[in-house]
């Protein structure tokens, strides 16, 4: 079989490598230009191309030509490639199927799939779920939109493995047979509107996670997104588990399964049988959003029949992930908190809510179409200053200048200095950008690491 892979980033490279290993004839095309272009991107793509060419893979860089799809039977697209990209349109015109890298990968594994999506919390929930399964001694691989691309791991999985996958809307756009045993939908808030245009289109991409699910499979859903998820679940004979961090959900004949916060206890109720998985105080994750993430992981563990005491142990020993409300430096009574993963407004709001006042907010970066005015109440309540940086800084300032004083910064080091300058003891300096990082960095990890470095260097100079 002949295959074309469009987009040579992490997922595209993994798909091309897997296809070559499986004996496909492989072509790869990357146009080398993107709104998300960042320093060093061209050099990285060149290195990946050289590795593939050494395996006999046909590679074109710097622009797509029709040669990339000529004679192929299947097109695999990387998640960063928009649906209107020329090679995808050419393929469809020629009747060539177009599928996502995730779809291609799952066709080459017999492992059980746990798929986790949502606007925010995907990565933490995916990592925590994998940790709970590993704590119970289950063979588990964590992949997808977290860490390693799915195509890079499926070759080494068997039917005894469980794949815990973080799945983005981009990855779901072109799935066809993707069929999780458990699908988790955590939430839906405005994000990626630069790609989708409307929330309805964004929700429709997320909803594809359920489209092939049938009896015997499970959907884990945030209680407060019922109206949003209903169109994609109606008529599907799958068991629902409802997540409720407010403790309002009650089991009924129609809804026998749920995961809720009962006082301070993390509890699952399945068909009248209640299990406690410990208290919030026994875990290291903070904030109401993380309560939902933990409840989702508990629900998956309950579905997989993991004993409650092992779930409690896994919750207790999970330390959280970098770049998510991570304390990275402290000195002179000032705490520097790295929430670089807050790449949209809703995540920024959660970071502000979870951080005590007084605080200085560092916000900005590559704007994805979010509305920063949503942060006005929390900024007014908690922030003594806002430091705006990156290409969205004017938009940040326009939205928040009436809620707190706003200053501009030209670099992360400048932002850290302006945030800490004159800050009273007890102040938190919170990097919670509300934007993607592509204008200044390769990704949110690089941005968070730079913040950590700059914060520590600032304290060393005092």
């Amino acid at each position: 079989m002949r295959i074309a892979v469009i987009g040579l980033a992490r997922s595209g490279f993994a798909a091309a490598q897997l296809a070559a290993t499986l004996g496909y004839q492989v072509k790869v095309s990357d146009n080398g230009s993107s709104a998300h272009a960042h320093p060093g991107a061209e050099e990285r793509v060149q290195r990946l191309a050289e590795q593939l060419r050494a395996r006999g893979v046909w590679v074109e860089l710097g622009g797509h030509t029709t040669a990339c799809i000529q004679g192929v039977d299947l097109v695999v697209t990387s998640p960063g490639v928009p649906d209107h990209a020329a090679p995808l349109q050419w393929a469809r015109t020629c009747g060539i199927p177009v599928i996502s890298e995730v779809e291609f990968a799952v066709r080459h594994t017999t492992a059980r799939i746990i798929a986790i999506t949502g606007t925010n919390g995907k990565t933490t929930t995916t990592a925590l779920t994998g940790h709970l399964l590993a704590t119970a001694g289950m063979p588990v691989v964590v992949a997808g939109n977290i860490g390693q691309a799915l195509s890079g791991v499926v070759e080494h999985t068997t039917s005894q493995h469980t794949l815990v996958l973080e799945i983005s809307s981009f990855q779901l756009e072109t799935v066809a047979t993707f069929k999780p045993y458990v699908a988790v939908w955590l939430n839906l808030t405005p994000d990626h509107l630069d790609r989708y245009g409307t929330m309805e289109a964004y929700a429709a991409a997320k909803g594809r996670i359920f489209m092939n699910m049938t009896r015997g499979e499970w959907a884990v859903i945030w209680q407060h997104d019922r109206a949003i998820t209903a169109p994609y679940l109606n008529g599907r004979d799958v068991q629902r588990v409802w997540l409720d961090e407010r403790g309002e959900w009650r089991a009924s004949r129609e809804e026998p399964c749920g995961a809720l916060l009962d006082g301070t206890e993390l509890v699952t109720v399945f068909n009248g049988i209640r299990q406690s998985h410990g208290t919030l105080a026994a875990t290291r994750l903070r904030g109401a959003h993380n309560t939902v993430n933990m409840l989702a992981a508990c629900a998956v563990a309950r579905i997989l029949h993991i004993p409650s005491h092992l779930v409690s142990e896994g919750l207790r020993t999970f330390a959280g992930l970098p770049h998510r409300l991570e304390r990275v430096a402290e000195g002179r009574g000032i705490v520097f908190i790295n929430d670089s993963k807050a790449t949209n407004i809703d995540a920024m709001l959660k970071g502000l809510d979870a951080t005590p006042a007084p605080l200085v907010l560092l916000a900005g970066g590559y704007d994805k179409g979010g509305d920063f005015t949503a942060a006005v109440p929390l900024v007014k309540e908690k922030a003594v200053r806002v430091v705006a940086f990156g290409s969205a800084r004017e938009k940040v300032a326009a939205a928040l200048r009436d809620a707190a004083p706003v200053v501009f910064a030209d670099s992360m080091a400048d932002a850290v200095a302006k945030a800490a300058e004159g800050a009273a003891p007890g102040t938190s300096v919170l990097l919670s950008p509300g934007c993607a990082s592509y204008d200044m960095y390769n990704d949110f990890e690089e941005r968070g690491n730079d913040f950590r470095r700059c914060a520590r260097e600032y304290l060393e100079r005092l």
Side-chain angles (χ1 to χ4, degrees):
M1 194 171 185
R2 296 159 297 180
I3 184 173
V5 177
I6 309 302
L8 188 53
R10 179 174 62 98
S11 296
F13 177 72
Q17 289 275 56
L18 175 63
T21 298
L22 294 172
Y24 288 80
Q25 295 179 37
V26 187
K27 291 183 173 183
V28 175
S29 180
D30 188 281
N31 69 359
S33 64
S34 167
H36 301 165
H38 43 69
E42 185 177 347
E43 292 77 7
R44 277 185 291 278
V45 168
Q46 288 284 358
R47 287 196 298 271
L48 296 178
E50 289 168 10
Q51 292 181 53
L52 291 174
R53 285 171 177 148
R55 300 192 64 178
V57 174
W58 180 96
V59 181
E60 68 172 0
L61 301 178
H64 302 303
T65 68
T66 54
C68 71
I69 66 156
Q70 286 176 356
V72 304
D73 306 297
L74 182 68
V75 170
V76 175
T77 176
S78 297
V81 177
D83 191 58
H84 62 263
L88 309 190
Q89 298 298 331
W90 297 332
R92 292 179 177 121
T93 299
C94 297
I96 303 169
V98 176
I99 63 172
S100 68
E101 176 268 332
V102 164
E103 172 70 24
F104 178 66
V106 296
R107 294 181 180 185
H108 300 286
T109 182
T110 56
R112 176 171 55 187
I113 295 173
I114 313 297
I116 298 167
T117 197
T119 304
N120 296 310
K122 297 186 298 295
T123 306
T124 296
T125 304
T126 302
L128 174 57
T129 301
H131 180 73
L132 296 187
L133 271 59
T135 300
M138 299 177 66
V140 59
V141 176
V142 175
N145 202 45
I146 175 176
Q148 48 195 351
L150 183 56
S151 292
V153 301
V154 292
E155 187 186 359
H156 309 292
T157 60
T158 70
S159 59
Q160 301 304 307
H161 284 86
T162 298
L163 283 166
V164 181
L165 306 179
E166 177 187 336
I167 301 292
S168 71
S169 58
F170 293 4
Q171 292 168 313
L172 288 166
E173 287 173 8
T174 43
V175 294
T177 63
F178 183 67
K179 192 176 190 287
Y181 176 61
V182 182
V184 179
W185 177 311
L186 291 168
N187 48 60
L188 190 85
T189 59
D191 197 11
H192 302 303
L193 296 181
D194 56 330
R195 176 153 171 155
Y196 293 108
T198 66
M199 285 295 291
E200 290 76 16
Y202 178 37
K206 291 283 190 192
R208 293 173 65 84
I209 197 170
F210 301 125
M211 71 180 190
N212 295 310
M213 296 179 68
T214 54
R215 180 185 289 271
E217 292 155 354
W218 296 78
V220 178
I221 315 141
W222 189 39
Q223 152 111 333
H224 308 291
D225 268 2
R226 285 172 179 263
I228 296 172
T229 56
Y232 313 105
L233 278 167
N234 287 345
R236 304 214 171 275
D237 188 17
V238 297
Q239 180 66 66
R240 277 82 156 160
V241 184
W242 301 99
L243 307 175
D244 183 16
E245 80 284 13
R246 302 175 193 171
E248 298 168 356
W249 176 85
R250 294 292 179 269
S252 65
R253 184 173 181 178
E254 294 74 26
E255 297 183 0
C257 300
L260 68 153
L261 187 66
D262 186 359
T264 62
E265 272 188 291
L266 298 158
V267 170
T268 52
V269 179
F270 277 44
N271 300 310
I273 301 174
R274 179 186 189 275
Q275 287 186 3
S276 172
H277 307 292
T279 65
L280 288 178
T283 71
R284 306 188 201 183
L285 300 180
R286 296 292 175 262
H289 61 296
N290 275 323
T291 300
V292 178
N293 299 339
M294 289 188 284
L295 289 171
C298 288
V300 174
R302 182 79 186 265
I303 291 166
L304 300 183
H305 306 292
I306 296 175
S308 183
H309 73 280
L310 293 178
V311 177
S312 299
E313 181 184 342
L315 291 171
R316 180 180 57 79
T317 56
F318 183 70
L321 297 173
H323 314 295
R324 295 153 181 85
L325 293 173
E326 175 194 18
R327 293 167 69 109
V328 294
E330 186 170 356
R332 300 289 180 90
I334 303 170
V335 177
F336 294 83
I337 300 174
N338 170 22
D339 197 31
S340 183
K341 185 60 172 70
T343 60
N344 56 60
I345 305 302
D346 186 63
M348 172 198 279
L349 296 179
K350 289 177 169 62
L352 285 165
D353 185 59
T355 305
L359 62 83
V360 178
L361 173 66
L362 275 61
Y366 175 85
D367 178 33
K368 295 189 288 182
D371 179 9
F372 290 94
T373 61
V376 165
L378 279 170
V379 169
K380 186 175 291 187
E381 174 191 344
K382 292 189 168 188
V384 296
R385 188 181 312 135
V386 174
V387 180
F389 64 92
S391 60
R393 67 183 196 172
E394 297 284 353
K395 184 176 179 179
V396 172
L400 300 181
R401 64 165 51 101
D402 291 335
V406 178
V407 297
F408 288 148
D410 297 322
S411 66
M412 187 60 74
D414 187 32
V416 166
K418 287 177 175 173
E421 182 181 353
T427 300
S428 297
V429 173
L430 172 66
L431 172 69
S432 196
C435 291
S437 57
Y438 308 125
D439 57 335
M440 296 168 65
Y441 300 98
N442 295 325
D443 46 42
F444 72 86
E445 290 99 336
E446 186 176 290
R447 176 171 62 190
N449 290 336
D450 194 27
F451 173 73
R452 180 190 294 111
R453 179 186 62 79
C454 291
R456 291 176 179 175
E457 289 181 355
Y458 175 84
L459 291 175
E460 287 171 2
R461 290 194 300 269
L462 293 180

